[in-house]
């Protein structure tokens, strides 16, 4: 049995412990995932603990329950919020209703009453998830949300098959509100396949086939009202065209996609990966963004599935990349980028086998070898690699044309070059990640006094997506970016406490905390004493 996760926020530890003690959580279908003694701490823990329900007191230091509810509702709209209040105040209740709070509970509350409330919340969660998974409703939604002409137009648009003069009229005809933006972005959602169980009942297998429909519906629900977009099914997955204008930012949108991946995993229990392409200044050129989004999905083999993959994070930008349209060339390039020595060798040998089967003039063999070498050369050019090893000396490619070496030797040579390129790309990705983290650390060291400093600000400076940056930062440093920023601020605060006579509130502002009380709270949590007592030690 899977349990719904609850986060409890109250500034009185005894109250939190009492609530946890008095309820038989498991019998109600819940698990207490964690607790927090203020709204700021609760907000930080939500990202880590991924609760389904938040129970919060209305009066807490640093961030009260209503402010917490507003922040949660903005970023995690599906989370249920229960607010405890010792005040029978109509204004509080009215604000809670505006925030779509699930329950507004007056203190004191006894265990029996709270049990009934939690049972109602559980039933509500069960019903919502059942609706998401209901095969009949999904099938009806699928039929209603897939006008054939609209889907065909959008597929033609991303493949460059719509004449430029027809784009705007067609957008109006199909009521697609994505024109007139500053730039556009294509994204492709790949639903990762589940392991098939031949013993599954037929109804369960049919339900799995409808999972992409539920994914698409959840994506549309999450983005509606936040950005202007068009969602449609393409051969590469669920595809989106998003208009980036003055109301939103590219990094903010990509960060939103990362949250959507987590929501899908939590609600539908499936894994999705979203490839995000290069932006384009012209909607008529959205096909290039679409193709680069498809390319981004190929990097699942390197960084794993289950999140967003932004093409700018993975490949050099503006390097004159040449698109390889032939299927065999695309497979070879994919193996060089993502494969292992074993799979690279298999791909090259499969291509070389076509030479064995062909019965053509010798010059055609040379053209074929030139084509394969051209594929390698273009990839090396994209990554600024040294191409002399391909053409120079007795071990270069030219000897196969000049001296007529056999195909076995050419195959072995091509495998060796491809494997060397694969190793070089892996090293470069690792080096680039380390360099980016050093740049981020330097930026934090310079800007930590700014209270508004955030992960999104750092990502805008580095031209990276927040989701990928956060993953790389944790991998390289062993901690989150927020934790590192807090560490820098507190270490600087220690220096100022030891070396200056500044008041505590002055030091708080110097290290990026606008509120002295919250600074003291964070400081004590880290060092065990308040800043004032620390100075007196």
């Amino acid at each position: 049995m899977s349990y719904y996760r609850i986060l409890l926020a109250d500034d009185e530890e005894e109250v939190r412990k009492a609530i946890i003690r008095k309820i038989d959580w498991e019998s109600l279908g819940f698990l207490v995932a964690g607790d927090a003694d203020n709204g700021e701490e609760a907000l930080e823990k939500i990202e880590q603990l991924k609760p389904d329900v938040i129970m919060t007191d209305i009066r807490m230091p640093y961030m009260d329950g209503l402010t917490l509810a507003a922040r949660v509702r903005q970023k995690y709209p599906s989370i249920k919020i229960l607010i405890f209040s010792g005040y029978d105040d109509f204004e509080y209740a009215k604000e809670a209703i505006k925030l779509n709070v699930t329950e507004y509970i007056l203190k004191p509350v006894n265990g029996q009453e709270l049990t009934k409330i939690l049972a109602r919340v559980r039933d509500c969660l069960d019903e919502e998830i059942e609706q998401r998974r209901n095969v009949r409703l999904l099938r009806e939604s699928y039929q209603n949300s897939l006008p054939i002409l609209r889907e065909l137009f959008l597929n033609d648009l991303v493949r460059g098959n719509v004449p430029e003069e027809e784009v705007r009229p067609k957008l109006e005809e199909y009521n697609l509100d994505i024109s007139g933006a500053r730039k556009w972005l294509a994204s492709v959602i790949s639903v990762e396949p589940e392991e098939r169980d031949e013993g599954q009942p037929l109804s369960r297998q049919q339900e799995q086939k409808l999972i992409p429909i539920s994914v698409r519906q959840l994506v549309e629900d999450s983005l509606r009202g936040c950005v202007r977009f068009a969602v449609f099914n393409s051969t590469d997955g669920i595809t989106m065209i998003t208009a980036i204008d003055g109301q939103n930012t590219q990094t903010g949108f990509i960060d939103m996609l990362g949250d959507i991946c987590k929501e899908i995993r939590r609600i539908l229990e499936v894994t999705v990966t979203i490839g995000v392409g290069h932006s384009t200044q012209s909607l008529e050129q959205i096909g290039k963004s679409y193709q680069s989004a498809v390319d981004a999905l190929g990097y699942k083999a390197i960084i794993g599935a289950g999140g967003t993959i932004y093409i700018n994070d993975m490949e050099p930008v503006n390097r004159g990349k040449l698109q390889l349209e032939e299927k065999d060339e695309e497979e070879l390039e994919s193996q060089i980028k993502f494969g292992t020595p074993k799979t690279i060798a298999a791909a090259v040998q499969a291509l070389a086998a076509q030479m064995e089967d062909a019965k053509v003039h010798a010059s055609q063999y040379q053209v074929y070898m030139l084509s394969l070498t051209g594929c390698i050369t273009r990839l090396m050019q994209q990554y600024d690699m040294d191409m002399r090893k391909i053409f120079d000396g007795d071990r270069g490619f030219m000897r196969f044309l000049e001296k007529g070496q056999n195909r076995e030797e050419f195959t072995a040579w091509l495998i060796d070059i491809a494997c060397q390129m694969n190793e070089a790309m892996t090293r470069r990705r690792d080096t680039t990640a380390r360099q980016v983290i050093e740049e981020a650390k330097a930026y934090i060291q310079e800007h930590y006094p700014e209270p508004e400093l955030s992960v999104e600000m750092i990502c805008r400076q580095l031209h990276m997506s927040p989701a990928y940056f956060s993953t790389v930062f944790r991998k390289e440093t062993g901690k989150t970016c927020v934790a590192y920023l807090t560490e820098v601020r507190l270490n600087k605060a220690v220096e100022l406490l030891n070396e200056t006579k500044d008041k505590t509130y002055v030091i708080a502002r110097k290290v990026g905390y606008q509120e002295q009380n919250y600074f003291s709270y964070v400081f004590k949590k880290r060092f065990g004493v308040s800043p004032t007592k620390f100075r007196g030690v």
Side-chain angles (χ1 to χ4, degrees):
M1 175 180 177
S2 60
Y3 297 101
Y4 294 115
R5 298 167 64 83
I6 281 187
L7 175 67
L8 180 61
D10 194 301
D11 59 332
E12 298 182 46
E13 185 178 5
E14 286 302 316
V15 172
R16 298 199 306 271
K17 288 181 177 178
I19 292 175
I20 293 172
R21 271 197 316 268
K22 70 171 63 172
I23 300 297
D24 185 358
W25 298 97
E26 291 189 5
S27 68
L28 289 169
F30 290 98
L31 172 70
V32 178
D35 63 313
D37 57 16
N38 62 74
E40 289 277 5
E41 185 180 5
L43 205 57
E44 292 175 5
K45 286 189 173 182
I46 288 171
E47 177 70 24
Q48 174 190 357
L49 300 176
K50 302 177 179 62
D52 302 286
V53 180
I54 296 172
M55 299 171 61
T56 178
D57 188 17
I58 203 166
R59 286 290 185 93
M60 294 184 295
Y62 317 127
M63 181 187 292
D64 63 29
L66 289 177
T67 305
L68 173 63
R71 298 280 291 275
V72 169
R73 185 59 65 234
Q74 182 179 20
K75 193 168 185 181
Y76 310 98
S78 66
I79 290 179
K80 304 300 177 188
I81 302 172
L82 314 182
I83 286 187
F84 293 104
S85 176
Y87 305 89
D88 188 6
D89 191 311
F90 176 71
E91 289 302 319
Y92 281 136
K94 187 168 70 172
E95 185 64 24
I97 291 170
K98 279 173 56 180
L99 294 171
N100 195 25
V101 168
T102 306
E103 294 278 350
Y104 186 83
I105 309 163
L106 290 176
K107 290 182 176 179
V109 58
N110 58 47
Q112 186 177 7
E113 181 184 354
L114 188 54
T115 296
K116 291 180 180 178
I117 291 170
L118 289 169
R120 289 201 300 269
V121 173
R122 180 201 60 214
D123 292 343
C124 181
L125 288 166
D126 287 344
E127 183 179 351
E128 286 184 3
I129 291 180
E130 180 61 28
Q131 287 177 353
R132 292 285 186 192
R133 297 175 179 174
N134 187 288
V135 177
R136 182 183 59 80
L137 292 177
L138 287 175
R139 187 176 291 112
E140 290 177 1
S141 175
Y142 177 72
Q143 295 298 330
N144 293 332
S145 65
L146 267 182
I148 297 175
L149 290 177
R150 177 179 177 274
E151 296 279 312
L152 289 174
F153 163 71
L154 290 170
N155 273 277
D156 285 341
L157 181 63
V158 296
R159 285 175 172 76
N161 296 332
V162 180
E164 189 169 328
E165 66 274 13
E166 292 184 16
V167 173
R168 306 288 171 176
K170 289 290 186 183
L171 289 174
E172 294 180 6
E173 180 181 347
Y174 297 126
N175 196 28
L176 294 165
D177 182 25
I178 56 173
S179 61
R182 181 162 44 90
K183 56 184 176 180
W184 290 266
L185 205 63
S187 312
V188 179
I189 304 171
S190 172
V191 180
E192 305 302 326
E194 295 183 356
E195 292 185 8
R196 294 201 62 179
D197 182 0
E198 297 300 330
Q200 280 184 338
L202 183 60
S203 60
R204 176 59 179 164
Q205 294 179 26
Q206 291 173 339
E207 184 176 336
Q208 289 178 355
K209 291 179 182 179
L210 292 172
I211 283 174
I213 305 167
S214 189
V215 169
R216 172 173 167 168
Q217 189 177 26
L218 196 150
V219 169
E220 291 178 330
D221 291 344
S222 299
L223 294 179
R224 191 173 291 114
C226 300
V227 294
R228 296 187 293 129
F229 65 98
V231 177
F232 57 102
N233 291 346
S234 69
T235 55
D236 296 295
I238 302 167
T239 301
M240 287 185 290
I241 300 175
T242 306
I244 304 297
D245 50 37
Q247 305 304 314
N248 51 69
T249 65
Q250 186 168 317
T251 53
F253 170 67
I254 295 173
D255 195 25
M256 194 185 306
L257 293 182
D259 291 335
I260 288 173
C261 289
K262 296 171 186 174
E263 283 285 282
I264 291 171
R265 181 62 188 168
R266 185 178 69 83
I267 295 176
L268 303 180
E269 300 179 346
V270 295
T271 300
V272 301
T273 306
I274 305 179
V276 183
H278 300 298
S279 62
T280 176
Q281 305 294 322
S282 168
L283 185 55
E284 290 76 10
Q285 299 298 316
I286 194 66
K288 293 181 179 179
S289 179
Y290 171 78
Q291 186 55 56
S292 60
V294 175
D295 292 345
L297 286 176
Y299 284 93
K300 284 189 294 185
I302 290 179
I303 67 171
T308 56
I309 305 176
Y310 183 32
I311 192 67
N312 283 14
D313 293 336
M314 309 309 298
E315 295 187 354
V317 182
N318 297 326
R319 300 293 182 123
K321 177 183 175 183
L322 298 174
Q323 297 294 333
L324 302 175
E325 299 180 356
E326 293 296 328
K327 180 180 177 181
D328 290 341
E329 289 182 319
E330 289 177 348
E331 173 62 17
L332 178 58
E333 177 180 334
S334 176
Q335 288 301 329
I336 292 173
K337 287 181 178 180
F338 320 125
T340 64
K342 184 176 180 180
T343 60
I344 290 170
V348 173
Q349 288 165 353
L351 294 173
Q354 298 181 31
M355 299 170 66
E356 295 290 342
D357 297 336
K359 305 297 181 183
V360 296
H361 190 274
S363 62
Q364 293 300 311
Y365 290 127
Q366 293 177 326
V367 170
Y368 187 77
M369 288 190 288
L370 279 169
S371 297
L372 292 175
T373 307
C375 173
I376 295 285
T377 303
R378 287 191 293 274
L379 201 53
M380 293 187 82
Q381 183 183 26
Q382 177 189 342
Y383 282 84
D384 292 333
M385 296 181 176
D386 185 359
M387 292 187 284
R388 287 176 296 181
K389 64 177 62 178
I390 288 185
F391 299 107
D392 293 354
D394 293 336
R395 297 186 59 80
F397 168 72
M398 297 307 296
R399 76 182 189 274
F400 296 107
L401 300 182
E402 296 170 355
K403 300 180 181 179
Q405 266 87 344
N406 62 37
R407 288 187 290 274
E408 288 79 5
E409 291 181 358
F410 172 74
T411 302
W413 173 84
L414 194 60
I415 290 172
D416 181 53
I417 292 292
C419 288
Q420 290 183 47
M421 291 175 65
N422 175 268
E423 292 175 6
M425 289 178 185
T426 301
R427 287 196 301 270
R428 174 170 293 189
R429 277 190 291 268
D430 293 342
T431 301
T432 300
R434 286 191 291 271
Q435 290 173 345
V436 164
I437 297 311
E438 291 305 313
E439 289 181 35
K441 287 181 177 178
Y443 189 80
I444 290 171
Q445 291 287 347
E446 182 179 353
H447 295 273
Y448 71 86
E450 301 173 12
E452 66 275 10
L453 183 61
S454 65
V455 172
E456 186 172 1
M457 283 179 60
I458 296 169
C459 290
R460 283 201 297 268
Q461 176 70 20
L462 300 175
H463 306 291
M464 296 184 75
S465 66
Y468 180 71
F469 169 77
S470 298
T471 300
V472 172
F473 195 96
R474 181 184 283 273
K475 181 180 178 182
E476 291 294 323
T477 67
K479 63 186 70 174
T480 65
C481 183
V482 173
Y484 179 80
L485 172 59
T486 302
E487 183 179 287
V488 169
R489 284 172 166 167
L490 293 182
N491 288 342
K492 186 61 180 178
V494 168
E495 288 182 25
L496 295 173
L497 286 168
N498 289 331
E499 299 173 6
T500 73
K501 295 182 178 180
D502 289 343
K503 299 289 187 183
T504 302
Y505 74 88
V506 174
I507 291 176
R509 290 175 181 172
K510 283 185 176 181
V511 298
Y513 291 98
Q514 289 180 306
E515 187 179 334
Q516 178 188 348
N517 289 339
Y518 188 62
F519 165 67
S520 298
Y521 166 77
V522 175
F523 191 97
K524 186 174 181 180
K525 191 173 182 180
R526 167 73 185 278
F527 296 109
V529 294
S530 68
T532 304
K533 289 185 178 179
F534 183 91
R535 175 176 266 165
V537 173

